[in-house]
Amino acid sequence: MGCTALVLATTALATGTAQAHGRDTARQTLARGDGWASATTGTTGGAAAERVFTVTTWAGFKAALAEAGTAPRIIKVRGTLDADGADCSDFAADGYDFARYLADYDPAVWGYDTDLEAEKATAGTQEYLRDRSAAAQAKAVKAAVPANTTIIGVGRGAGITGGSLQINGVDNVIVRGLTLESPLDCFPQWDPTDGDTGNWNSEYDAAVVYNATHVWLDHNTFTDGDHPDSTLPAYYGRLYQQHDGELDVVKGADHVTASWNVFEDHDKTLMIGNSDGAGATDEGKLRVTLHHNLFRNLVERAPRVRFGQVDAYNNSYVANGDFGYAFGIGFRSQLVAEKNAFTLPRGIGAGTVLHRWNDSPVTAEGNLVNGVPTDLVAAYNAANPAAPLSSGAGWKPVLRTQVDPARVVTRVVARGAGAQQLR
Ligand code: CA
Ligand code: CA
């Protein structure tokens, strides 16, 4: 066993992660030094597996994940797995009626002062039935990933629609080569107290890393696919938001590398840390490396950071008019953003790349905005003089294997990122 592991590790070192022509990508490990997931024990996923599954259905995929034990496993995904079936009505509890839900909680009736938590606990109410329906959907669309697993797409068009990968409380997971179409929550909850005029909130990130360690997400495409927010209706004057995040890294998760992914067509994209009050689990954790990812046509959170030492280098941002911000500077975040390239449309300035949620220092060096070397902190501060950001995250990333000059990043990432580019 030691011998096999040594050969694999050597192979990964010699070839890097992006150029491995002619090898079995399912047995690749994260190269030594390639971001935070390579720290300490590194990330090998199921590379040494004797158990190799090839799945073509969501049920088959969940069965492969559920097989007992933590010996390494490889799950090859062929074609698109449909996690949520044809119709939301499959999950609806008896008596749930959305028209009645809308009538019962219309702000003209219910107001904006009282949340629905007590309703949820009261059998027979529409909020209770909505919650029961949501539980049925959650059971169907969430897939728990065990330790020592590689999940990899094979062939063209491999991926999952409507599913939520739960990498929760485990170590050593690799996810590669999948197109992950964001799950649509069939049963968003109306929260009248969220903001001044209420909001619809949804569950289900396409993937969540929750209290898990050594996770490598590589060459995946995260997208809203056929269901962008622009196709969603509005009720009570608010967007009926059926999406949550594309990727969340939360609750003590640590040692994550996300490389060569596409994150596209989404609002709240990538959240690292979900609460200012999570210091007990998150302080000193949430260490994530993001490199050579394409962030395209997004609104915000690419990523939004709390607590973590996050290293974002060589990422390409291609924005449209929906762009809100890229890097959200949150509570006790320690973001380093170097040699990224931003392509912003006319009318959207470099001062929007950063967003201050909290006065945490940030290192931003060597970045280009529309080809022009730009100090992102200075640009932010020029646009927001009343509440400036300070420079200097206080640490220096060393776990990098391949740093490209910023001027080639847009091109290199366009050519190499995403599920179809895994070779
Ligand atoms: Ca479906
Ligand atoms: Ca989430």
Side-chain angles (χ1 to χ4, degrees):
M1 151 190 185
C3 188
T4 310
L6 182 64
V7 170
L8 287 167
T10 306
T11 301
L13 260 184
T15 61
T17 53
Q19 305 92 15
H21 300 273
R23 300 182 190 284
D24 182 356
T25 48
R27 291 196 181 274
Q28 288 178 340
T29 60
L30 178 63
R32 197 168 302 167
D34 188 356
W36 275 117
S38 73
T40 67
T41 55
T43 302
T44 58
E50 293 177 15
R51 300 185 294 170
V52 178
F53 305 84
T54 299
V55 301
T56 58
T57 65
W58 182 246
F61 178 64
K62 288 186 88 166
L65 291 169
E67 191 167 290
T70 55
R73 82 187 72 195
I74 291 169
I75 303 176
K76 296 182 176 181
V77 173
R78 191 174 289 284
T80 300
L81 313 182
D82 180 1
D84 61 355
D87 195 321
C88 285
S89 64
D90 296 349
F91 307 122
D94 282 349
Y96 175 72
D97 177 342
F98 184 54
R100 207 177 131 196
Y101 185 97
L102 287 175
D104 287 356
Y105 306 118
D106 188 321
V109 176
W110 187 264
Y112 291 105
D113 296 333
T114 312
D115 71 24
L116 297 178
E117 288 308 304
E119 279 284 283
K120 189 196 287 188
T122 306
T125 67
Q126 284 297 314
E127 171 57 12
Y128 173 88
L129 294 166
R130 184 207 61 77
D131 184 56
R132 293 292 80 216
S133 307
Q137 184 183 6
K139 188 164 185 291
V141 305
K142 287 184 176 180
V145 180
N148 308 318
T149 296
T150 292
I151 302 168
I152 186 163
V154 293
R156 292 196 73 78
I160 297 169
T161 62
S164 180
L165 292 178
Q166 305 277 311
I167 304 168
N168 185 343
V170 297
D171 181 61
N172 194 28
V173 171
I174 296 173
V175 179
R176 303 180 79 193
L178 295 177
T179 294
L180 299 169
E181 186 178 303
S182 304
L184 272 178
D185 190 334
C186 291
F187 310 99
Q189 184 188 34
W190 173 246
D191 181 354
T193 68
D194 182 349
D196 291 339
T197 54
N199 263 317
W200 294 99
N201 291 311
S202 279
E203 298 290 329
Y204 318 128
D205 310 305
V208 58
V209 182
Y210 185 112
N211 185 33
T213 47
H214 298 106
V215 178
W216 180 33
L217 303 144
D218 177 73
H219 281 100
N220 302 290
T221 296
F222 295 81
T223 180
D224 284 356
D226 292 337
H227 304 282
D229 285 354
S230 59
T231 66
L232 301 179
Y235 299 108
Y236 310 151
R238 303 296 296 167
L239 177 73
Y240 189 60
Q241 180 53 271
Q242 292 181 266
H243 295 122
D244 196 17
E246 292 194 323
L247 172 64
D248 277 7
V249 181
V250 298
K251 299 294 182 198
D254 202 15
H255 292 139
V256 176
T257 296
S259 54
W260 299 100
N261 301 286
V262 173
F263 296 91
E264 66 179 11
D265 298 334
H266 199 82
D267 186 347
K268 294 172 179 176
T269 306
L270 202 179
M271 180 162 65
I272 300 172
N274 63 358
S275 169
D276 291 358
T281 54
D282 292 353
E283 188 80 59
K285 308 278 186 64
L286 301 180
R287 289 173 289 187
V288 179
T289 299
L290 304 168
H291 75 83
H292 295 94
N293 299 288
L294 173 57
F295 293 95
R296 177 167 58 201
N297 296 346
L298 303 172
V299 180
E300 60 177 275
R301 301 187 184 173
R304 186 203 200 289
V305 184
R306 294 178 173 96
F307 294 102
Q309 290 185 341
V310 171
D311 182 20
Y313 73 92
N314 281 174
N315 300 287
S316 170
Y317 293 79
V318 179
N320 63 15
D322 295 334
F323 184 70
Y325 69 81
F327 299 117
I329 306 305
F331 187 69
R332 294 185 68 75
S333 68
Q334 304 164 67
L335 175 74
V336 174
E338 289 183 347
K339 297 184 179 176
N340 301 287
F342 298 83
T343 306
L344 303 181
R346 191 180 298 275
I348 294 184
T352 62
V353 169
L354 296 171
H355 182 82
R356 178 182 134 151
W357 294 102
N358 188 267
D359 182 18
S360 299
V362 50
T363 298
E365 291 176 358
N367 297 290
L368 297 180
V369 177
N370 293 336
V372 178
T374 302
D375 180 336
L376 298 176
V377 175
Y380 179 85
N381 290 347
N384 302 278
L389 285 163
S390 50
S391 286
W395 69 288
K396 186 169 172 49
V398 293
L399 295 168
R400 295 175 175 179
T401 51
Q402 178 190 351
V403 182
D404 291 314
R407 66 187 154 71
V408 306
V409 163
T410 303
R411 179 161 42 88
V412 165
V413 169
R415 206 165 47 202
Q420 297 308 323
Q421 304 307 322
L422 180 61
R423 299 279 188 263

